[in-house]
Amino acid sequence: MGDECLFCKIVNRELDSEFLMETDELVVFRDINPMAPVHLLFVPKKHIRSVNDITKEDDYILSALIFAAKEMAVRTGVAESGYRLFFNVEKGGGQEIFHLHMHMIGGWE
Ligand code: AMP
Ligand code: ZN
């Protein structure tokens, strides 16, 4: 899995991308087409297609995503002002890249 997956390539450093955070479970980088002053993507290293495909064994990944968001909110200065975390799920939910990722947007005045 992942030969044609853009986010697998980014995770595996086959594409140039600046990671704001990297742990055993995930990487964080800026969205290339930001919809807010701060728009980050939290991407598990494990290829999972979407929320529909999460299993009980992926518990630790979901937990890691949320704790990474908490830390990045502080680091990007939006913790106090607030932010939104969301997953787009499958085509009808607006998902365009079929490798699980969580969006963080914030930083408005
Ligand atoms: P989604 O619609 O939830 O699948 O979100 C995919 C997101 O990935 C979009 O917000 C895109 O702007 C973003 N994106 C696509 N290609 C890249 C890339 N090479 N680097 C960073 N973000 C990307
Ligand atoms: Zn992938």
Side-chain angles (χ1 to χ4, degrees):
M1 187 83 74
D3 270 5
E4 339 70 39
C5 172
L6 179 70
F7 281 1
C8 278
K9 285 186 178 148
I10 289 178
V11 162
N12 295 326
R13 295 185 180 279
E14 289 165 38
L15 293 176
D16 208 26
S17 202
E18 188 197 343
F19 294 158
L20 305 185
M21 178 189 283
E22 179 172 13
T23 69
D24 287 346
E25 293 81 29
L26 59 84
V27 298
V28 181
F29 51 89
R30 288 192 185 83
D31 196 292
I32 204 169
N33 187 19
M35 57 169 78
V38 174
H39 187 170
L40 306 183
L41 298 175
F42 295 75
V43 182
K45 288 185 171 174
K46 178 180 175 185
H47 182 93
I48 301 168
R49 179 180 164 93
S50 83
V51 168
N52 286 343
D53 304 282
I54 292 167
T55 67
K56 195 67 191 146
E57 285 72 53
D58 299 322
D59 254 8
Y60 72 100
I61 293 174
L62 303 181
S63 163
L65 289 171
I66 300 293
F67 281 110
K70 179 183 170 184
E71 181 176 335
M72 289 310 301
V74 174
R75 281 167 55 179
T76 57
V78 301
E80 293 277 304
S81 55
Y83 52 94
R84 195 148 71 89
L85 300 175
F86 61 95
F87 295 85
N88 295 328
V89 183
E90 293 295 338
K91 292 190 180 70
Q95 187 174 4
E96 290 176 352
I97 297 186
F98 297 97
H99 178 129
L100 186 73
H101 54 281
M102 183 177 72
H103 295 254
M104 169 187 273
I105 56 173
W108 303 279
E109 289 292 304

